[in-house]
Every structure is written in C-alpha cells, then in structure tokens.
Amino acid sequence: MTFSKSTLYLVASAAFFVTGTLAQAETIKVGVIATFSGPNAIWGKQFREAIDVYVAQHGDEVGGHKIQFIYKDVGGPNADASKAAAQELLVRDGVKYLAGFDFTPNAVAVAPLTKQAKVPAVIFNAATSSINKQSDFFLRTSFTLTQLAQPAAEWAAKNGSKKVVTAVSDYNPGIDAETAFSASFEKDGGAVLEKIRMPLQTNDFAPFMQRIKSSGADTVFTFLPVGPATFAFTKAYNENGLKAAGVSFLGGGETDETTLDALGDQAIGLVTAYHYSDVHDSALNKSFVAKLQELHPGSRANMASIGAYDGAELIYRMIKAAGSDGTKAIEAAKGMEWESPRGPVKMDPVSRTVVQNVYLRRVEKGADGKLVNREFATVPNVPDLGFNP
Ligand code: PHB
C-alpha cells in the first residue's frame, strides 16, 4: 500500500495535533490545608463537603484540565504544621494551587512559600485583614473581621446601644474586630466601656460574663473563632443571665449553623452581622444546601462551607483563564465577580478579598422547628475595610 505525500502530511499533522493537545492538558492538583482532627475538626469537614458539592455540580474538569483536590490535616491553629503541609504539597505532590486555611496563623505561615513558588493560595476562612498584605498570591473568599465589625457597630449605634463592652479572642482577628468596632461605634457617639481580650484556648467564659454584667454596658460585641469557643461563649451568655440583666448580644459566628441547635431556644433573638446564613433566600442557595444534604445527609451549610464553595469557584475560574500559571491566575482573578449562594461577590483587585453583602441576622425558629439565622437587613457590597495597601 502506498500513501500520497499529502496523506502522509495529514497523518503527521494529526499526530502532532493530538500530542500537542495532550501536552497542554494536565491534572492540576489543589492542596487544601485545614483542620480535620481535634476539637476544631468541623472546619475540614465543612470545607471538604462544600468542595464535594462544587465538583458534583461542575465536574472535575475545567479548561481541558483534570482537577484533583488533596487534603492535609494540620490539627487546629498551628503555624508550623501549616508550613510543613504546604511544603510537602508543593514539593512532593506538585500542587499548583493552595487553599483552605481556617485559622489566621495557618495562612500567615505559608506567605513566603506562596511567593517563592508563585502559587495562588485561596483562603477559605482566615479573616485578619493584614494576611493578604504578606503575599500577592493570597486571595480570600471568606470575609474579614473589619468587613463585619463596622456594619455591626453602625447597626448598634442606630438601634439603641450606647455603652458597649467588646469581648474578643486574644489573637489577630479578635484584635481587628475590637479595633474596627470601637472606632466606628465611638465615631457614631457611642462609648466603649471595656475591651476584654480572652485567651484563644479557653472555653470557660463565666468570669468574663461577670465582668461584662458589672461594667454597666447595654451591649456586648464579641468575636471568637467558630467552634467550641463560640458555642461555650454563647452558652455562658445565656446561662449567666446577661439578657435579663439588660446586656444585648451582638456578634458574628457565635450562632453558627453547626452549633445553633445545640444552643437551644435560649439562642432565639441573638443578633449577628455576617456574610452568610444557610437560609439566605435565593434559588442558588437553596440548590447549594439541597446538594449538600443529598451528598452528606445531616450536614448543615455554614460560613466555612460558603468560603470553600466560592473558593472552588475561584480556583476553577483561574484554571480556565491561566491553567497552572500562578502569576497569570492571580492577575485573572482580580475583579472577577459572580453570584454566590450568599449573594453577589467580587474579588477586590487591591485587597484580594471578596466584596460582599453583610447581613444583620436574628436567631429564629424555622418552619421545621430548627433554629436559623434569619437575615433582616442588608448592607450591600462591603469591601475589606481594614486593608491598607
Ligand atoms: C481566623 O483565625 O482568622 C478565624 C478563625 C475562625 C473564625 C474566624 C476567623 O470563625
């Protein structure tokens, strides 16, 4: 059998085309660093389940690339473990994107590595404003404390609070919350009577409740990391009779969906300023929550879920735009906007944290008897107010 010259040329160019295409399509690995063990293991669980939802809805391929998520446990707030996990993911596993980061110290610890490797790191939670200043490769799909605390303070000043005590966990995000709340509340004519900083590791809040009660404050504004601490603080507020003593509660993650039912009916009426509620009234949120419950029966969406779900959206969009080129991916991410189950979000090109609505919410009993954070007011399109370039 003989082939004409042109047939041979066609066969050769088709072969070149196929190999050329194969060379470009790669499996892009995404390393997710989070807490999967110990008292704060809820973080890793929520991140992972939300990514499962995203992949179930959008597939595991984007822009011709297969996407593989690799999970690494760091056991809680632990900078050294986070750095070691990032090193292993980058060097041994060859990940092209990093993600996760529940606690601020875990994100801060990887800043130098992201710059060296030029690998984007998508923060699903860690919420201290200054983190993103430490590497141009950080992007944040969660929130910052300043983004929430200022709207909370403005609402308090307009709704009868005159004398506030702030009570925060004594580490970076707590200090951001205290600073942003106090500055805004005092600017609006309110008084901050006391600024209480509580140890990050404590779950015994009774002594702080006594201090708050005897301060003469009409409101306590609080920040604690979601998990055992928020649960214990809110329980202590309820059990130490602060409401009866005339001290209103204003917080953020203290009525988190994953602990709300365990708090019981005493939580009804608590007010928080936050960027997500699992009963946010939109078709997109309903389908997100329904898919989560289908894949992981008994699970409840919370702020960690939404940070991870939108984090996966951002990673898919970056891969579509830039494949595994981290520097191009960061440039492409700046200014991206989309509709999230929480409402509209936009990646601020300067702070690299999402601009989003902040909702004032009140705990209510939902139709099915479950406690829910019902949104009753919206502060639209709030940027990270604490980022100073
Ligand atoms: C943080 O460490 O930045 C952090 C942790 C838990 C939260 C919020 C912020 O709920």
Side-chain angles (χ1 to χ4, degrees), residues 43 77 101-105 125-128 131 140 143 145 171-173 200 223-227 230 253 274 303:
W43 284 100
F101 309 107
D102 28 33
F103 295 94
T104 288
N125 183 63
T128 306
I131 296 171
R140 178 160 32 202
F143 69 104
L145 269 310
Y171 78 123
N172 324 48
L200 179 56
F223 162 79
L224 302 109
V226 165
T230 43
Y274 226 42
M303 45 87 89

Side-chain angles (χ1 to χ4, degrees), residues 311-362:
E313 170 78 25
L314 181 62
I315 290 166
Y316 271 48
R317 282 170 175 250
M318 285 194 284
I319 290 173
K320 194 165 183 203
S324 57
D325 184 328
T327 307
K328 271 197 199 150
I330 292 286
E331 285 318 304
K334 292 177 181 173
M336 276 183 184
E337 45 193 321
W338 65 93
E339 187 66 25
S340 153
R342 72 181 96 176
V345 293
K346 178 177 176 179
M347 185 51 63
D348 186 322
V350 178
S351 71
R352 285 167 279 109
T353 290
V354 280
V355 178
Q356 61 190 324
N357 295 344
V358 175
Y359 305 98
L360 274 305
R361 315 150 342 143
R362 192 176 280 112

Side-chain angles (χ1 to χ4, degrees), residues 90 98 101 106-123 128-140 326-327 330-331 334 347-353 387:
L90 290 166
L98 287 171
F101 309 107
N106 300 3
V108 170
V110 306
L113 291 173
T114 64
K115 290 193 275 194
Q116 263 165 34
K118 300 195 190 314
V119 162
V122 178
I123 298 173
T128 306
S129 289
S130 63
I131 296 171
N132 284 13
K133 264 211 259 187
Q134 301 186 29
S135 167
D136 291 342
F137 286 85
F138 278 135
L139 300 155
R140 178 160 32 202
T327 307
I330 292 286
E331 285 318 304
K334 292 177 181 173
M347 185 51 63
D348 186 322
V350 178
S351 71
R352 285 167 279 109
T353 290
F387 188 83

